[in-house]
Amino acid sequence: MCNGLFSSESVSEGHPDKLADRISDRILDAFLEKDPNARVACETMLADQCVIVAGEFKTRRLEDFEAVKAEADALVRQVLRDTGYKSAETGIDPDACEIQIRFNGQSADINQGVDRSDGVLGAGDQGLMFGYACDETPELMPAPIAFAHRLVRQQALVRKSGLLPWLEPDAKSQVTFRYEGGRPVEIDAVVLSTQHAVEIDIDTLQALVREHIINPVIPSSLRSPGYRELINPTGRFVTGGPKGDTGLTGRKIIVDTYGGAAPHGGGAFSGKDPSKVDRSATYMARFLAKQVVARGWASRCLIQLAYAIGVAEPVSFLVDAASTGRNNEIATTLRQEYDLTPAGIIRQLDLLRPIYFETAAYGHFGRDDLALPWETVI
């Protein structure tokens, strides 16, 4: 990271794009509960009082496919309900909204490259994936995205506890750090916008959000002399969720990863089973980068992997270990230690399980509230 100001944002589980991610991953988990080897590519769109869930799927038993399809409507409504939406006027009505389910079979052309005739699991698509770790925070994440996630998680915690009963599910945060000598030294600005009930006035909202959301997360010792807080800077934010903005799966990939502090590959995660290297190889790249930093080999590390559809071995593997001069040495060691084929990644990280719904909000990396295998240090 260079010197100067750097910002990252996060969004709450009630943000329409995150709702779409969560629905897609809830459907994925439902398939994996019935068939750990299911092939899933699930997309969700929410617009006002309509939810469309579509995609391509393959299970070993037809009855498993039909069972998930039959329960998909109820699964979607439960996600909306659990997120905290209650009415069409302020977001979406989980009981009365229209839900369209459009499930198709996986293309045979794609499947022949993944479940190959020789028994080898090929990559589910071509693409490039990045993983990153740094020693800026205990969770080995860049500080701006780590604090941005903490803010929206605190908003959800306060909302669900009933402490601030006028809070609604949709929210966004942004944190700006000042870097000196490549290190985060202080927070220059915090932005938090939260949906709220109509009866709360803006002055009361700003005071209570500051007291119960921002102050518990942003230490006074990290605040710069010119520190600024922008709380609901546009004022009223009553209409939120799909009523206020269309939501789409895969539209918050920078929130999902490193907040812009590291490159992102071409693909999103949510709704994709582990045969899709967009997801599994990105998890593996994070796992590898985290090993490098945790072992003290570098203060930060960027990993890139690239794959061709139907081919098991990566077509490229890059390690950038923070100007240590050990890139090739570390890359050789990691290649000797870990199998980077899709099957090897799935086996190493134990990915054929319904563990994905909880990753679809507040980031896929640096989570201390979930036992995620790609976050372990060996």
Side-chain angles (χ1 to χ4, degrees):
M1 189 73 68
C2 298
N3 295 341
L5 300 177
F6 187 85
S7 302
S8 294
E9 72 162 349
S10 184
V11 299
S12 70
E13 63 198 64
H15 186 282
D17 292 330
K18 277 290 129 198
L19 270 179
D21 287 341
R22 282 160 59 79
I23 289 169
S24 292
D25 272 337
R26 184 64 191 91
I27 297 298
L28 168 63
D29 279 357
F31 272 99
L32 295 178
E33 286 166 5
K34 296 185 181 300
D35 181 357
N37 291 290
R39 300 292 177 245
V40 178
C42 183
E43 309 290 345
T44 301
M45 183 182 79
L46 303 99
D48 197 2
Q49 301 308 299
C50 179
V51 184
I52 301 171
V53 185
E56 296 75 47
F57 308 86
K58 179 177 180 290
T59 56
R60 291 180 177 178
R61 302 190 313 163
L62 179 60
E63 52 263 43
D64 291 336
F65 171 85
E66 295 295 346
V68 177
K69 185 176 181 180
E71 68 178 351
D73 183 287
L75 292 173
V76 172
R77 295 186 192 278
Q78 193 60 51
V79 171
L80 299 176
R81 215 172 278 122
D82 291 345
T83 304
Y85 283 107
K86 301 179 286 293
S87 74
E89 292 72 28
T90 60
I92 190 168
D93 186 334
D95 297 312
C97 66
E98 176 189 3
I99 296 179
Q100 299 181 27
I101 306 297
R102 299 287 186 268
F103 285 5
N104 297 312
Q106 185 186 50
S107 164
D109 294 341
I110 293 176
N111 185 251
Q112 70 177 350
V114 179
D115 300 308
R116 292 177 5 187
S117 59
D118 60 2
V120 174
L121 181 67
D125 200 353
Q126 72 173 48
L128 50 117
M129 302 85 205
F130 291 95
Y132 184 71
C134 61
D135 63 0
E136 294 179 13
T137 63
E139 57 266 49
L140 303 187
M141 289 288 287
I145 189 66
F147 278 85
H149 284 325
R150 291 173 197 173
L151 283 170
V152 283
R153 285 174 64 184
Q154 180 70 8
Q155 189 269 0
L157 178 66
V158 170
R159 173 175 62 86
K160 293 176 181 180
S161 73
L163 179 62
L164 301 181
W166 41 265
L167 284 175
E168 299 290 353
D170 198 352
K172 299 181 74 172
S173 66
Q174 186 169 284
V175 176
T176 301
F177 264 84
R178 180 177 300 279
Y179 279 75
E180 295 179 1
R183 305 291 300 178
V185 295
E186 59 188 14
I187 295 174
D188 193 69
V190 166
V191 182
L192 185 72
S193 295
T194 180
Q195 186 188 11
H196 58 88
V198 67
E199 64 268 15
I200 192 77
D201 66 90
I202 187 65
D203 291 334
T204 302
L205 180 147
Q206 290 176 337
L208 292 176
V209 164
R210 181 176 294 110
E211 177 183 356
H212 295 289
I213 298 177
I214 294 179
N215 287 348
V217 171
I218 306 298
S220 57
S221 60
L222 277 179
R223 302 182 186 193
S224 72
Y227 170 79
R228 296 164 294 153
E229 289 177 352
L230 299 169
I231 301 171
N232 279 35
T234 61
R236 176 185 167 100
F237 183 5
V238 172
T239 300
K243 180 72 173 178
D245 190 14
T246 300
L248 291 171
T249 299
R251 202 157 59 176
K252 286 293 179 285
I253 56 177
I254 302 304
V255 171
D256 286 341
T257 53
Y258 308 103
H264 193 291
F269 307 147
S270 291
K272 297 178 181 178
D273 75 84
S275 74
K276 279 72 169 175
V277 284
D278 282 337
R279 181 165 221 156
S280 56
T282 303
Y283 289 169
M284 190 64 179
R286 161 66 176 174
F287 174 82
L288 295 176
K290 194 167 184 180
Q291 307 314 303
V292 171
V293 176
R295 295 174 184 182
W297 295 348
S299 60
R300 64 183 184 273
C301 179
L302 178 70
I303 301 284
Q304 189 204 47
L305 290 161
Y307 292 83
I309 187 168
V311 178
E313 291 289 341
V315 298
S316 70
F317 176 54
L318 171 75
V319 174
D320 182 354
S323 304
T324 61
R326 300 180 58 197
N327 292 349
N328 292 337
E329 173 195 344
I330 292 172
T332 299
T333 300
L334 294 176
R335 285 305 308 265
Q336 292 172 344
E337 192 169 347
Y338 297 106
D339 181 352
L340 301 183
T341 65
I345 292 170
I346 289 169
R347 184 170 51 251
Q348 172 70 46
L349 301 182
D350 192 16
L351 296 180
L352 298 181
R353 299 178 290 139
I355 58 174
Y356 300 103
F357 173 67
E358 295 295 337
T359 68
Y362 312 118
H364 292 246
F365 307 124
R367 300 291 294 269
D368 57 7
D369 59 322
L370 301 175
L372 300 176
W374 52 88
E375 290 298 308
T376 57
V377 173
I378 298 176

